[in-house]
């Protein structure tokens, strides 16, 4: 048993069979944790995603986008009966230390998956330290607890930043995300949500954007205020608005609203009423019209395939 920081792991293990993860991030909401891992291998990592879903009772859902793995997990402890090829790797425990503001995820695996459990993950950016319980490799079982900061999830919907002859909301939103990243915030994702194509208020393609961030609780307000400040400076439209969703998961009514906004006309009053009911801040940065699409973007930020569909 050894507690090691990423730089200590790199010094101790420089073997050719260790491939460091790029980054590990954890966001918590009650007893639910969203774990994001940037694996060293893109498509090859799909084997790990399959094994984790198959073997781990604590995993509610999992998905892969390139080398980015997202696991939705329950807090708890469920030991895995590891079996080569069948149950080769998984998550055995998820815990939250509220006092230390940390999330602790215990991984177990056989052979290469055991090496990945602690050594590979532990070298990734974002890891505070790793408690290596058993060093894996070969026919041995590997087990380690990876400890990361406890972030919260923040999704911001943005719409109506362009005008008929200039601008593009999707690029402006992405550049805002990059700027906030440069300022120290964790910019995680950018989703384009296709809205009703026959909307007479549209500029051209009629899309809104959802930006996802992992943020410490004490930095949430600063991030939101900074995003609004950048938007006020850069937007070309007098109809720009944002919507803010905190936490993991999407209320069913919000997804229903998003689908309704994709398939037909929606008005500002309905958006404002739903936002008030769901306690979702809906802010007119330069005007109210953008509230419709900004709120809709939140409802599909976790479903990229549905988000881009066009309904004629």
């Amino acid at each position: 048993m050894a507690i090691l920081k990423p730089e200590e792991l790199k010094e101790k293990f420089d073997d050719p069979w260790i491939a460091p993860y790029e980054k590990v991030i954890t966001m918590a909401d009650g007893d639910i944790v969203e774990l994001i891992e940037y694996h060293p291998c893109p498509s090859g990592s799909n084997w790990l995603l399959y094994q984790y879903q198959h073997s781990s009772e604590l995993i509610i859902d999992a998905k892969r986008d390139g080398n980015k793995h997202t696991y939705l997990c329950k807090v708890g402890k469920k030991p895995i009966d590891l079996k080569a090829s069948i149950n080769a790797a998984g998550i055995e425990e998820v815990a939250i230390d509220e006092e230390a503001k940390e999330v602790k995820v215990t991984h177990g695996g056989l052979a290469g998956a055991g090496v990945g459990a602690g050594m590979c993950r532990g070298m990734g950016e974002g890891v505070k330290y790793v408690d290596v319980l058993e060093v894996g490799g070969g026919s041995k079982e590997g087990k380690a607890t990876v400890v990361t900061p406890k972030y919260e999830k923040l999704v911001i919907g943005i719409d109506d930043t362009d005008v008929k002859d200039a601008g593009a909301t999707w690029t402006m939103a992405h550049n805002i995300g990059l700027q906030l990243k440069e300022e120290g915030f964790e910019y995680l994702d950018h989703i384009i949500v296709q809205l009703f194509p026959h909307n007479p208020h549209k500029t051209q393609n009629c899309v809104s954007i959802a930006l996802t961030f992992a943020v410490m609780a004490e930095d949430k307000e600063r991030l939101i205020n900074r995003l609004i400040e950048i938007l006020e400076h850069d937007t070309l439209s007098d109809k720009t608005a944002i919507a803010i969703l905190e936490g993991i998961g999407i209320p069913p009514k919000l997804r229903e609203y998003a689908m309704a906004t994709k398939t037909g006309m929606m008005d500002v009053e309905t958006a404002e009423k739903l936002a008030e009911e769901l306690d979702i801040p809906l802010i007119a940065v330069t005007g109210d019209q953008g509230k419709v699409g900004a709120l809709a973007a939140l409802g599909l930020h976790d479903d990229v395939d549905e988000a881009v569909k066009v309904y004629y």
Side-chain angles (χ1 to χ4, degrees), residues 181-239:
K181 182 178 180 179
E182 289 177 2
E183 295 176 13
F185 294 104
E186 288 286 353
Y187 170 38
L188 298 179
D189 212 348
H190 169 291
I191 301 297
I192 297 176
V193 179
Q194 176 67 56
L195 304 176
F196 188 53
H198 304 301
N199 187 335
H201 302 295
K202 72 177 184 177
T203 48
Q204 191 62 37
N205 287 323
C206 200
V207 301
S208 60
I209 307 299
L211 298 182
T212 303
F213 299 89
V215 62
M216 301 301 288
E218 61 269 24
D219 294 331
K220 201 178 299 181
E221 186 175 350
R222 183 165 63 90
L223 185 154
I224 294 168
N225 290 339
R226 182 69 182 118
L227 183 142
I228 291 173
E229 183 181 16
I230 298 170
L231 262 182
E232 287 175 335
H233 181 269
D234 292 345
T235 186
L236 301 176
S237 171
D238 60 1
K239 301 174 182 177

Side-chain angles (χ1 to χ4, degrees), residues 57-125:
E57 292 184 43
L58 295 176
I59 293 178
I60 302 168
D61 191 23
K63 58 185 177 182
R64 180 180 70 87
D65 179 8
N67 73 326
K68 177 185 175 185
H69 296 175
T70 302
Y71 301 101
L72 196 62
C73 309
K74 299 178 288 187
V75 170
K77 186 174 183 178
K78 292 284 184 180
I80 298 171
D81 182 17
L82 293 171
K83 297 178 181 178
S85 303
I86 301 169
N87 293 327
I91 292 173
E92 295 200 344
E93 185 173 8
V94 178
I96 298 173
D97 186 333
E98 296 290 357
E99 186 175 346
K101 297 181 181 178
E102 295 174 343
V103 177
K104 301 179 178 182
V105 181
T106 301
H107 302 261
L110 294 172
V115 173
M119 276 92 79
C120 298
R121 281 186 176 85
M123 294 182 187
E125 180 186 346

Side-chain angles (χ1 to χ4, degrees), residues 130-159:
V130 176
D131 187 356
V132 180
L133 305 171
E134 297 176 46
V135 177
S139 59
K140 297 181 295 184
E141 177 182 339
K143 186 180 293 188
T145 300
V146 180
V147 181
T148 48
K150 174 182 172 284
Y151 286 104
E152 294 184 9
K153 189 173 186 178
L154 184 70
V155 186
I156 300 179
I158 302 173
D159 199 16

